[in-house]
Coordinates of all heavy atoms in Angstrom, one line a residue:
M1 N 20.3 246.4 -8.3 CA 19.9 245.0 -8.6 C 18.3 245.0 -8.6 O 17.7 245.4 -7.6 CB 20.5 244.0 -7.7 CG 20.0 242.6 -7.9 SD 20.6 241.4 -6.8 CE 22.3 241.6 -6.8
S2 N 17.7 244.5 -9.6 CA 16.3 244.4 -9.6 C 15.8 243.2 -8.8 O 16.6 242.4 -8.4 CB 15.8 244.2 -11.1 OG 16.0 242.9 -11.5
I3 N 14.5 243.2 -8.5 CA 14.0 242.1 -7.7 C 14.2 240.8 -8.5 O 14.5 239.7 -7.9 CB 12.5 242.3 -7.5 CG1 12.3 243.5 -6.5 CG2 11.8 241.1 -6.9 CD1 10.9 243.9 -6.3
L4 N 14.0 240.8 -9.8 CA 14.2 239.6 -10.6 C 15.6 239.1 -10.6 O 15.8 237.9 -10.4 CB 13.7 239.8 -12.1 CG 12.2 239.9 -12.3 CD1 11.9 240.1 -13.7 CD2 11.5 238.6 -11.8
N5 N 16.5 240.0 -10.6 CA 17.9 239.5 -10.5 C 18.2 238.9 -9.2 O 18.9 237.9 -9.1 CB 18.9 240.7 -10.8 CG 19.1 241.0 -12.2 OD1 18.7 240.2 -13.1 ND2 19.6 242.2 -12.5
G6 N 17.7 239.5 -8.1 CA 17.8 238.9 -6.8 C 17.2 237.6 -6.7 O 17.8 236.7 -6.1
L7 N 16.0 237.4 -7.3 CA 15.3 236.1 -7.3 C 16.2 235.1 -8.0 O 16.3 234.0 -7.6 CB 14.0 236.3 -7.9 CG 13.1 235.1 -7.9 CD1 12.8 234.6 -6.5 CD2 11.8 235.3 -8.6
K8 N 16.7 235.5 -9.2 CA 17.6 234.5 -10.0 C 18.7 234.1 -9.1 O 19.1 232.9 -9.1 CB 18.0 235.2 -11.3 CG 18.8 234.3 -12.2 CD 19.2 234.9 -13.5 CE 20.0 234.0 -14.3 NZ 20.7 234.6 -15.3
M9 N 19.4 235.0 -8.4 CA 20.5 234.6 -7.6 C 20.1 233.6 -6.5 O 20.8 232.6 -6.3 CB 21.2 235.8 -7.0 CG 22.1 236.5 -7.9 SD 23.0 237.8 -7.0 CE 23.9 236.9 -5.8
D10 N 18.9 233.9 -5.9 CA 18.5 233.0 -4.9 C 18.2 231.6 -5.5 O 18.5 230.6 -4.8 CB 17.2 233.5 -4.2 CG 17.5 234.7 -3.4 OD1 18.7 234.9 -3.0 OD2 16.6 235.5 -3.1
I11 N 17.6 231.5 -6.6 CA 17.3 230.2 -7.2 C 18.6 229.5 -7.6 O 18.7 228.3 -7.3 CB 16.4 230.4 -8.5 CG1 15.0 230.9 -8.1 CG2 16.3 229.1 -9.3 CD1 14.1 231.3 -9.2
E12 N 19.6 230.2 -8.1 CA 20.8 229.5 -8.4 C 21.5 228.9 -7.2 O 22.1 227.9 -7.2 CB 21.7 230.5 -9.2 CG 21.3 230.8 -10.6 CD 22.1 231.8 -11.3 OE1 23.0 232.4 -10.7 OE2 21.9 232.0 -12.5
Q13 N 21.3 229.6 -6.1 CA 21.9 229.1 -4.8 C 21.2 227.8 -4.3 O 21.8 227.1 -3.6 CB 21.8 230.2 -3.7 CG 22.8 231.3 -4.0 CD 22.6 232.5 -3.0 OE1 21.6 232.5 -2.3 NE2 23.5 233.5 -3.1
L14 N 20.0 227.7 -4.8 CA 19.2 226.5 -4.4 C 19.5 225.2 -5.3 O 19.1 224.1 -4.9 CB 17.7 226.8 -4.4 CG 17.2 227.8 -3.4 CD1 15.8 228.1 -3.7 CD2 17.5 227.3 -2.0
I15 N 20.2 225.4 -6.4 CA 20.4 224.3 -7.3 C 21.5 223.4 -6.7 O 22.6 223.8 -6.3 CB 20.9 224.8 -8.7 CG1 19.8 225.6 -9.4 CG2 21.4 223.6 -9.5 CD1 20.2 226.3 -10.6
I16 N 21.1 222.2 -6.5 CA 22.0 221.2 -5.9 C 22.6 220.3 -7.1 O 21.8 219.6 -7.7 CB 21.3 220.3 -4.9 CG1 20.7 221.2 -3.8 CG2 22.2 219.2 -4.3 CD1 19.8 220.4 -2.9
P17 N 23.9 220.3 -7.3 CA 24.4 219.5 -8.4 C 24.3 218.1 -8.0 O 24.4 217.7 -6.9 CB 25.9 220.0 -8.5 CG 26.2 220.6 -7.1 CD 24.9 221.1 -6.6
P18 N 24.2 217.2 -9.0 CA 24.2 215.8 -8.8 C 25.4 215.2 -8.1 O 26.5 215.7 -8.4 CB 24.0 215.2 -10.2 CG 24.4 216.2 -11.1 CD 24.2 217.5 -10.5
R19 N 25.3 214.3 -7.2 CA 26.4 213.7 -6.5 C 26.6 212.3 -6.9 O 27.7 211.7 -6.6 CB 26.1 213.8 -5.0 CG 25.7 215.2 -4.5 CD 26.8 215.8 -3.6 NE 26.4 217.0 -3.0 CZ 26.6 218.2 -3.5 NH1 27.3 218.3 -4.6 NH2 26.2 219.3 -2.8
T20 N 25.6 211.7 -7.5 CA 25.6 210.2 -7.7 C 25.3 209.9 -9.2 O 24.4 210.5 -9.8 CB 24.6 209.6 -6.8 OG1 24.9 209.9 -5.4 CG2 24.6 208.1 -7.0
I21 N 26.1 208.9 -9.7 CA 25.7 208.3 -11.0 C 25.1 207.0 -10.6 O 25.7 206.2 -9.9 CB 27.0 208.1 -11.8 CG1 27.8 209.4 -12.1 CG2 26.6 207.4 -13.2 CD1 29.2 209.1 -12.6
A22 N 24.0 206.7 -11.1 CA 23.3 205.4 -10.9 C 23.1 204.7 -12.3 O 22.5 205.2 -13.1 CB 22.0 205.5 -10.2
L23 N 23.7 203.5 -12.4 CA 23.6 202.7 -13.7 C 22.8 201.5 -13.4 O 23.2 200.7 -12.6 CB 25.0 202.4 -14.2 CG 25.9 203.5 -14.6 CD1 27.3 203.0 -15.1 CD2 25.3 204.4 -15.7
S24 N 21.7 201.3 -14.1 CA 21.0 200.0 -14.1 C 21.7 199.2 -15.2 O 21.5 199.3 -16.4 CB 19.6 200.2 -14.5 OG 18.9 200.9 -13.5
T25 N 22.6 198.3 -14.7 CA 23.5 197.6 -15.6 C 22.8 196.6 -16.4 O 23.2 196.3 -17.5 CB 24.6 196.9 -14.8 OG1 24.0 196.0 -13.9 CG2 25.4 197.9 -14.0
T26 N 21.7 196.0 -15.9 CA 20.9 195.1 -16.6 C 19.5 194.9 -15.9 O 19.4 195.3 -14.7 CB 21.6 193.7 -16.6 OG1 20.8 192.8 -17.3 CG2 21.8 193.2 -15.2
Y27 N 18.6 194.5 -16.7 CA 17.3 194.2 -16.1 C 17.1 192.7 -16.0 O 16.1 192.2 -15.6 CB 16.1 194.7 -17.0 CG 16.0 196.2 -17.0 CD1 15.4 196.9 -18.0 CD2 16.5 197.0 -15.9 CE1 15.2 198.3 -18.0 CE2 16.3 198.3 -15.9 CZ 15.7 199.0 -16.9 OH 15.6 200.4 -16.9
Q28 N 18.2 192.0 -16.2 CA 18.2 190.5 -15.9 C 18.3 190.3 -14.4 O 19.1 191.1 -13.8 CB 19.4 189.8 -16.6 CG 19.4 188.3 -16.4 CD 20.6 187.6 -17.1 OE1 21.6 188.2 -17.1 NE2 20.3 186.4 -17.6
C29 N 17.6 189.4 -13.9 CA 17.6 189.1 -12.5 C 17.4 187.6 -12.3 O 16.7 187.0 -13.1 CB 16.6 189.9 -11.7 SG 16.7 189.8 -9.9
S30 N 18.0 187.1 -11.2 CA 17.7 185.7 -10.9 C 16.3 185.5 -10.3 O 15.8 184.4 -10.2 CB 18.8 185.2 -9.8 OG 18.8 186.1 -8.7
A31 N 15.7 186.6 -9.9 CA 14.3 186.5 -9.5 C 13.4 187.2 -10.5 O 13.8 187.7 -11.5 CB 14.1 187.2 -8.1
A32 N 12.1 187.0 -10.3 CA 11.1 187.7 -11.2 C 9.9 188.1 -10.3 O 8.8 187.7 -10.4 CB 10.6 186.7 -12.2
C33 N 10.2 189.1 -9.4 CA 9.2 189.5 -8.4 C 8.0 190.2 -9.2 O 8.2 191.0 -10.1 CB 9.8 190.5 -7.4 SG 11.3 189.8 -6.6
K34 N 6.8 189.9 -8.7 CA 5.6 190.5 -9.4 C 5.7 192.1 -9.2 O 5.1 192.8 -10.1 CB 4.4 190.0 -8.7 CG 4.0 188.6 -9.2 CD 2.6 188.3 -8.6 CE 2.2 186.9 -9.1 NZ 0.9 186.5 -8.5
N35 N 6.2 192.6 -8.2 CA 6.2 194.0 -7.9 C 7.5 194.7 -8.4 O 7.7 195.9 -8.0 CB 5.9 194.3 -6.4 CG 7.0 193.7 -5.6 OD1 7.8 192.8 -6.0 ND2 7.2 194.2 -4.3
C36 N 8.3 194.1 -9.2 CA 9.5 194.7 -9.6 C 9.2 195.9 -10.5 O 8.5 195.8 -11.5 CB 10.4 193.7 -10.4 SG 11.9 194.4 -11.0
C37 N 9.7 197.1 -10.1 CA 9.4 198.3 -10.8 C 10.0 198.3 -12.2 O 9.6 199.1 -13.1 CB 9.9 199.5 -10.0 SG 11.6 199.6 -9.7
F38 N 11.1 197.5 -12.5 CA 11.7 197.4 -13.8 C 11.2 196.2 -14.6 O 11.7 196.1 -15.8 CB 13.2 197.4 -13.7 CG 13.8 198.7 -13.1 CD1 14.7 198.6 -12.1 CD2 13.5 199.9 -13.7 CE1 15.2 199.8 -11.6 CE2 14.0 201.1 -13.2 CZ 14.9 201.0 -12.1
G39 N 10.5 195.3 -14.0 CA 10.0 194.1 -14.8 C 11.2 193.2 -15.0 O 11.2 192.5 -16.0
C40 N 12.1 193.1 -14.1 CA 13.3 192.3 -14.3 C 12.9 190.8 -14.1 O 12.0 190.4 -13.4 CB 14.4 192.6 -13.2 SG 14.9 194.3 -13.3
N41 N 13.7 190.0 -14.8 CA 13.5 188.5 -14.8 C 14.7 187.8 -15.3 O 15.6 188.4 -16.0 CB 12.2 188.1 -15.5 CG 12.2 188.4 -16.9 OD1 13.1 187.9 -17.7 ND2 11.3 189.2 -17.4
P42 N 14.8 186.5 -15.2 CA 16.0 185.7 -15.7 C 16.1 185.7 -17.2 O 17.1 185.4 -17.7 CB 15.8 184.3 -15.1 CG 14.8 184.5 -14.0 CD 13.9 185.6 -14.4
I43 N 15.0 185.9 -17.9 CA 14.9 185.7 -19.4 C 15.7 186.9 -20.1 O 16.3 186.7 -21.1 CB 13.5 185.6 -19.9 CG1 12.9 184.3 -19.3 CG2 13.4 185.5 -21.4 CD1 11.4 184.2 -19.5
I44 N 15.5 188.1 -19.5 CA 16.2 189.2 -20.1 C 17.7 189.1 -20.1 O 18.3 188.8 -19.1 CB 15.8 190.5 -19.3 CG1 14.3 190.7 -19.4 CG2 16.5 191.7 -19.9 CD1 13.8 191.9 -18.5
K45 N 18.3 189.3 -21.3 CA 19.7 189.1 -21.4 C 20.5 190.4 -21.7 O 21.7 190.5 -21.6 CB 20.1 188.1 -22.5 CG 19.5 186.8 -22.4 CD 20.0 186.0 -21.1 CE 19.4 184.6 -21.0 NZ 19.4 184.1 -19.7
D46 N 19.7 191.5 -22.1 CA 20.3 192.8 -22.4 C 21.0 193.4 -21.2 O 20.5 193.3 -20.1 CB 19.3 193.7 -22.9 CG 18.7 193.3 -24.2 OD1 19.3 192.5 -24.9 OD2 17.5 193.7 -24.5
R47 N 22.1 194.0 -21.5 CA 22.9 194.6 -20.4 C 23.7 195.7 -21.0 O 24.0 195.7 -22.2 CB 23.7 193.7 -19.6 CG 24.8 192.9 -20.4 CD 25.5 191.9 -19.6 NE 25.8 192.3 -18.3 CZ 25.2 191.9 -17.2 NH1 24.2 191.0 -17.3 NH2 25.5 192.3 -16.0
L48 N 24.1 196.7 -20.2 CA 25.1 197.7 -20.6 C 26.4 197.0 -20.8 O 26.8 196.2 -20.0 CB 25.2 198.8 -19.6 CG 24.0 199.7 -19.4 CD1 24.2 200.7 -18.3 CD2 23.6 200.5 -20.7
S49 N 27.1 197.4 -21.9 CA 28.5 196.9 -22.0 C 29.4 197.7 -21.1 O 29.1 198.8 -20.6 CB 28.9 197.1 -23.5 OG 29.1 198.4 -23.8
L50 N 30.6 197.1 -20.9 CA 31.6 197.8 -20.1 C 31.9 199.2 -20.7 O 32.0 200.2 -20.0 CB 32.9 197.0 -20.0 CG 34.0 197.7 -19.2 CD1 33.6 197.9 -17.8 CD2 35.3 196.8 -19.3
Q51 N 32.0 199.3 -22.0 CA 32.3 200.5 -22.7 C 31.2 201.5 -22.5 O 31.4 202.7 -22.2 CB 32.6 200.3 -24.2 CG 33.2 201.6 -24.8 CD 34.5 202.0 -24.1 OE1 35.4 201.3 -24.0 NE2 34.5 203.3 -23.7
E52 N 29.9 201.1 -22.6 CA 28.8 202.0 -22.3 C 28.8 202.5 -20.9 O 28.6 203.7 -20.7 CB 27.5 201.3 -22.6 CG 27.2 201.0 -24.1 CD 26.0 200.1 -24.3 OE1 25.8 199.1 -23.5 OE2 25.2 200.4 -25.2
M53 N 29.1 201.7 -19.9 CA 29.2 202.1 -18.6 C 30.3 203.1 -18.4 O 30.1 204.2 -17.7 CB 29.3 200.9 -17.6 CG 28.1 200.1 -17.6 SD 28.1 198.8 -16.3 CE 29.2 197.5 -17.1
K54 N 31.4 202.9 -18.9 CA 32.6 203.8 -18.8 C 32.2 205.1 -19.5 O 32.5 206.2 -18.9 CB 33.8 203.2 -19.5 CG 34.5 202.1 -18.7 CD 35.7 201.7 -19.5 CE 36.6 200.7 -18.7 NZ 37.8 200.3 -19.5
D55 N 31.5 205.1 -20.6 CA 31.2 206.3 -21.3 C 30.2 207.1 -20.5 O 30.3 208.4 -20.4 CB 30.5 206.0 -22.7 CG 31.6 205.5 -23.7 OD1 32.8 205.6 -23.5 OD2 31.1 204.9 -24.7
Y56 N 29.2 206.5 -19.9 CA 28.3 207.2 -19.0 C 29.0 207.9 -17.8 O 28.7 209.0 -17.4 CB 27.1 206.3 -18.5 CG 26.1 206.0 -19.6 CD1 25.7 204.7 -19.8 CD2 25.6 207.0 -20.4 CE1 24.8 204.4 -20.8 CE2 24.6 206.7 -21.3 CZ 24.3 205.4 -21.6 OH 23.4 205.1 -22.5
V57 N 29.9 207.1 -17.2 CA 30.7 207.7 -16.1 C 31.5 208.9 -16.6 O 31.4 210.0 -16.0 CB 31.6 206.6 -15.5 CG1 32.6 207.3 -14.5 CG2 30.8 205.6 -14.8
D58 N 32.2 208.8 -17.7 CA 33.0 209.9 -18.3 C 32.1 211.1 -18.6 O 32.5 212.2 -18.3 CB 33.8 209.4 -19.5 CG 34.9 208.4 -19.1 OD1 35.2 208.3 -17.9 OD2 35.3 207.7 -20.1
Q59 N 31.0 210.8 -19.3 CA 30.1 212.0 -19.7 C 29.6 212.7 -18.4 O 29.6 213.9 -18.4 CB 29.0 211.4 -20.5 CG 29.3 211.0 -21.9 CD 28.2 210.3 -22.6 OE1 27.0 210.6 -22.3 NE2 28.5 209.4 -23.5
S60 N 29.2 211.9 -17.4 CA 28.6 212.5 -16.2 C 29.7 213.4 -15.5 O 29.4 214.5 -15.1 CB 28.1 211.5 -15.3 OG 27.1 210.7 -15.9
M61 N 30.9 212.8 -15.4 CA 32.0 213.6 -14.7 C 32.4 214.8 -15.5 O 32.8 215.8 -14.9 CB 33.1 212.6 -14.4 CG 32.7 211.5 -13.4 SD 34.0 210.5 -12.7 CE 34.7 211.7 -11.6
E62 N 32.4 214.6 -16.8 CA 32.8 215.8 -17.7 C 31.8 216.9 -17.5 O 32.1 218.1 -17.5 CB 32.9 215.3 -19.1 CG 33.4 216.3 -20.1 CD 33.5 215.8 -21.5 OE1 34.0 214.7 -21.7 OE2 33.1 216.6 -22.4
Y63 N 30.5 216.5 -17.5 CA 29.4 217.5 -17.5 C 29.3 218.2 -16.1 O 29.1 219.4 -16.0 CB 28.1 216.9 -17.9 CG 27.1 217.9 -18.2 CD1 27.0 218.6 -19.4 CD2 26.1 218.3 -17.2 CE1 26.1 219.6 -19.7 CE2 25.1 219.2 -17.5 CZ 25.1 219.9 -18.7 OH 24.2 220.8 -19.0
Y64 N 29.4 217.3 -15.0 CA 29.1 217.8 -13.7 C 30.3 218.1 -12.8 O 30.2 218.5 -11.7 CB 28.1 216.9 -13.0 CG 26.7 216.9 -13.6 CD1 26.3 215.8 -14.3 CD2 25.9 218.0 -13.5 CE1 25.0 215.8 -14.9 CE2 24.7 218.0 -14.1 CZ 24.2 216.9 -14.8 OH 23.0 216.9 -15.4
G65 N 31.5 217.7 -13.4 CA 32.7 217.9 -12.7 C 32.8 217.3 -11.3 O 32.5 216.2 -11.1
D66 N 33.3 218.1 -10.4 CA 33.7 217.6 -9.1 C 32.5 217.2 -8.2 O 32.7 216.7 -7.1 CB 34.5 218.6 -8.3 CG 35.9 218.8 -9.0 OD1 36.3 217.9 -9.7 OD2 36.5 219.9 -8.8
S67 N 31.3 217.6 -8.6 CA 30.1 217.3 -7.7 C 29.9 215.8 -7.6 O 29.4 215.3 -6.6 CB 28.9 218.0 -8.2 OG 28.3 217.4 -9.3
I68 N 30.3 215.0 -8.6 CA 30.0 213.6 -8.6 C 31.0 212.9 -7.7 O 32.2 213.0 -7.9 CB 30.1 213.0 -10.1 CG1 29.2 213.7 -11.0 CG2 29.9 211.5 -10.0 CD1 27.7 213.4 -10.8
G69 N 30.5 212.1 -6.8 CA 31.4 211.4 -5.9 C 31.1 209.9 -5.7 O 31.8 209.2 -5.0
V70 N 29.9 209.5 -6.2 CA 29.5 208.1 -6.0 C 29.0 207.5 -7.3 O 28.3 208.2 -8.1 CB 28.3 208.1 -4.9 CG1 27.8 206.7 -4.7 CG2 28.7 208.8 -3.6
L71 N 29.3 206.2 -7.4 CA 28.8 205.4 -8.6 C 28.0 204.3 -8.0 O 28.6 203.5 -7.2 CB 29.9 204.9 -9.4 CG 29.6 203.9 -10.5 CD1 28.6 204.5 -11.5 CD2 30.8 203.4 -11.2
V72 N 26.7 204.2 -8.3 CA 25.9 203.1 -7.9 C 25.6 202.2 -9.0 O 25.3 202.6 -10.1 CB 24.5 203.7 -7.3 CG1 23.5 202.5 -7.0 CG2 24.7 204.5 -6.1
L73 N 25.7 200.9 -8.8 CA 25.5 199.9 -9.8 C 24.3 199.0 -9.4 O 24.3 198.5 -8.3 CB 26.7 199.0 -10.1 CG 28.0 199.8 -10.4 CD1 29.2 198.9 -10.4 CD2 27.8 200.4 -11.8
T74 N 23.3 199.0 -10.2 CA 22.1 198.3 -9.8 C 21.5 197.5 -11.0 O 22.1 197.5 -12.1 CB 21.0 199.2 -9.2 OG1 19.9 198.5 -8.7 CG2 20.5 200.2 -10.2
G75 N 20.4 196.9 -10.8 CA 19.7 196.2 -11.9 C 18.2 196.2 -11.6 O 17.7 197.1 -11.0
G76 N 17.7 195.1 -11.9 CA 18.2 193.7 -12.1 C 19.2 193.3 -11.0 O 19.4 193.9 -10.0
E77 N 19.9 192.2 -11.4 CA 20.9 191.7 -10.5 C 22.3 192.0 -11.2 O 22.7 191.2 -12.0 CB 20.7 190.2 -10.2 CG 21.8 189.5 -9.4 CD 22.1 190.3 -8.2 OE1 21.4 190.2 -7.2 OE2 23.2 191.0 -8.1
C78 N 22.9 193.1 -10.7 CA 24.1 193.5 -11.4 C 25.3 192.5 -11.2 O 26.2 192.4 -12.0 CB 24.6 194.9 -11.0 SG 24.9 195.1 -9.2
F79 N 25.2 191.6 -10.2 CA 26.2 190.7 -9.9 C 26.2 189.5 -10.9 O 27.1 188.7 -11.0 CB 26.2 190.1 -8.5 CG 26.7 191.0 -7.5 CD1 25.9 191.9 -6.8 CD2 28.1 191.0 -7.2 CE1 26.5 192.8 -5.9 CE2 28.7 191.9 -6.3 CZ 27.9 192.8 -5.6
L80 N 25.2 189.4 -11.8 CA 25.2 188.4 -12.8 C 26.1 188.8 -14.0 O 26.4 188.0 -14.8 CB 23.8 188.3 -13.4 CG 22.7 187.7 -12.4 CD1 21.4 187.7 -13.1 CD2 23.1 186.2 -12.1
G81 N 26.6 190.1 -13.9 CA 27.4 190.6 -15.0 C 28.9 190.3 -14.9 O 29.4 190.5 -13.8
Y82 N 29.5 189.9 -15.9 CA 31.0 189.6 -15.9 C 31.8 190.9 -15.9 O 33.0 190.8 -15.6 CB 31.4 188.7 -17.1 CG 30.7 189.1 -18.4 CD1 31.2 190.1 -19.2 CD2 29.5 188.5 -18.8 CE1 30.6 190.5 -20.3 CE2 28.9 188.9 -19.9 CZ 29.5 189.9 -20.7 OH 28.8 190.3 -21.9
D83 N 31.2 192.0 -16.2 CA 32.0 193.3 -16.2 C 31.9 194.0 -14.9 O 32.4 195.1 -14.8 CB 31.5 194.2 -17.4 CG 31.9 193.6 -18.7 OD1 33.0 193.0 -18.8 OD2 31.2 193.9 -19.7
L84 N 31.2 193.5 -13.9 CA 30.9 194.3 -12.7 C 32.2 194.7 -12.0 O 32.4 195.9 -11.7 CB 30.1 193.5 -11.7 CG 29.6 194.4 -10.6 CD1 28.6 195.4 -11.0 CD2 29.0 193.5 -9.5
T85 N 33.2 193.8 -11.9 CA 34.4 194.1 -11.2 C 35.2 195.2 -12.0 O 35.9 196.0 -11.4 CB 35.3 192.9 -11.0 OG1 35.6 192.3 -12.2 CG2 34.7 191.9 -10.0
K86 N 35.1 195.1 -13.3 CA 35.8 196.0 -14.1 C 35.3 197.5 -14.0 O 36.0 198.4 -14.0 CB 35.8 195.6 -15.6 CG 36.6 194.3 -15.8 CD 36.5 193.9 -17.3 CE 37.2 192.5 -17.4 NZ 36.8 191.9 -18.7
I87 N 33.9 197.6 -14.0 CA 33.4 198.9 -13.8 C 33.6 199.4 -12.4 O 33.7 200.6 -12.2 CB 31.9 199.0 -14.3 CG1 31.4 200.5 -14.4 CG2 31.0 198.2 -13.3 CD1 32.2 201.3 -15.4
V88 N 33.6 198.5 -11.4 CA 33.9 198.9 -10.0 C 35.4 199.5 -10.0 O 35.6 200.6 -9.4 CB 33.8 197.8 -9.0 CG1 34.4 198.1 -7.7 CG2 32.3 197.4 -8.9
E89 N 36.3 198.8 -10.6 CA 37.7 199.3 -10.7 C 37.8 200.6 -11.4 O 38.5 201.5 -11.0 CB 38.6 198.2 -11.4 CG 38.8 197.0 -10.6 CD 39.5 195.9 -11.4 OE1 39.8 196.1 -12.6 OE2 39.8 194.8 -10.8
Y90 N 37.0 200.7 -12.5 CA 37.0 202.0 -13.3 C 36.5 203.2 -12.5 O 37.1 204.2 -12.4 CB 36.2 201.8 -14.6 CG 36.4 203.0 -15.5 CD1 37.5 203.2 -16.2 CD2 35.3 203.9 -15.7 CE1 37.7 204.2 -17.1 CE2 35.5 205.0 -16.5 CZ 36.7 205.2 -17.2 OH 36.8 206.2 -18.1
G91 N 35.4 202.9 -11.8 CA 34.8 204.0 -10.9 C 35.8 204.4 -9.8 O 36.0 205.5 -9.5
A92 N 36.5 203.4 -9.2 CA 37.4 203.6 -8.1 C 38.6 204.4 -8.7 O 39.2 205.3 -8.0 CB 37.9 202.3 -7.5
S93 N 39.0 204.1 -10.0 CA 40.1 204.8 -10.6 C 39.8 206.3 -10.8 O 40.7 207.1 -10.9 CB 40.5 204.2 -11.9 OG 39.6 204.5 -12.9
K94 N 38.5 206.6 -10.8 CA 38.1 208.0 -11.0 C 37.8 208.6 -9.6 O 37.1 209.7 -9.5 CB 36.8 208.1 -11.8 CG 36.9 207.5 -13.2 CD 37.6 208.5 -14.1 CE 37.7 207.9 -15.5 NZ 38.4 208.8 -16.4
E95 N 38.2 207.9 -8.5 CA 38.1 208.3 -7.1 C 36.6 208.4 -6.7 O 36.2 209.3 -5.9 CB 38.8 209.6 -6.9 CG 40.3 209.5 -7.2 CD 41.1 210.7 -6.8 OE1 40.5 211.7 -6.3 OE2 42.3 210.7 -7.0
L96 N 35.8 207.6 -7.3 CA 34.4 207.5 -6.9 C 34.2 206.4 -5.8 O 34.9 205.4 -5.9 CB 33.5 207.2 -8.1 CG 33.5 208.2 -9.3 CD1 32.7 207.6 -10.4 CD2 32.9 209.5 -8.8
I97 N 33.3 206.7 -4.9 CA 32.8 205.6 -4.0 C 31.9 204.7 -4.8 O 30.9 205.2 -5.3 CB 32.2 206.2 -2.8 CG1 33.1 207.1 -2.0 CG2 31.6 205.1 -1.9 CD1 32.5 207.9 -1.0
V98 N 32.2 203.5 -4.9 CA 31.4 202.6 -5.8 C 30.6 201.6 -4.9 O 31.2 200.9 -4.1 CB 32.2 201.8 -6.8 CG1 31.3 201.0 -7.7 CG2 33.1 202.8 -7.6
Ligands
SF4_1 S1 15.4 193.5 -9.3 FE1 14.7 193.1 -7.2 S2 12.5 193.4 -7.3 FE2 13.2 193.1 -9.4 S3 13.0 190.9 -9.9 FE3 15.1 191.3 -9.1 S4 15.0 190.9 -6.9 FE4 12.9 191.2 -7.6

């Protein structure tokens, strides 16, 4: 085994697969803090649809397999969304901690 092959094996052992899916469901928020890193505020209405969120979960789990164990839902204020309980249920159905 060459030095480079040995180095490649060492690097591969250091790769940590992703454990968490984090979805910013919306940038709408009931507040409008000056220091908000996403610029969230009550005026913004755009949000991920339930289908988009499901698709991102499915794509992530398909690509990364068993390493994914957690689904984080954030915003903005994700509780303003009517689909929040449905995506929580969907994540739980995939045995994710939500
Ligand atoms: S997401 Fe957090 S920081 Fe941003 S406006 Fe809402 S409460 Fe403030």
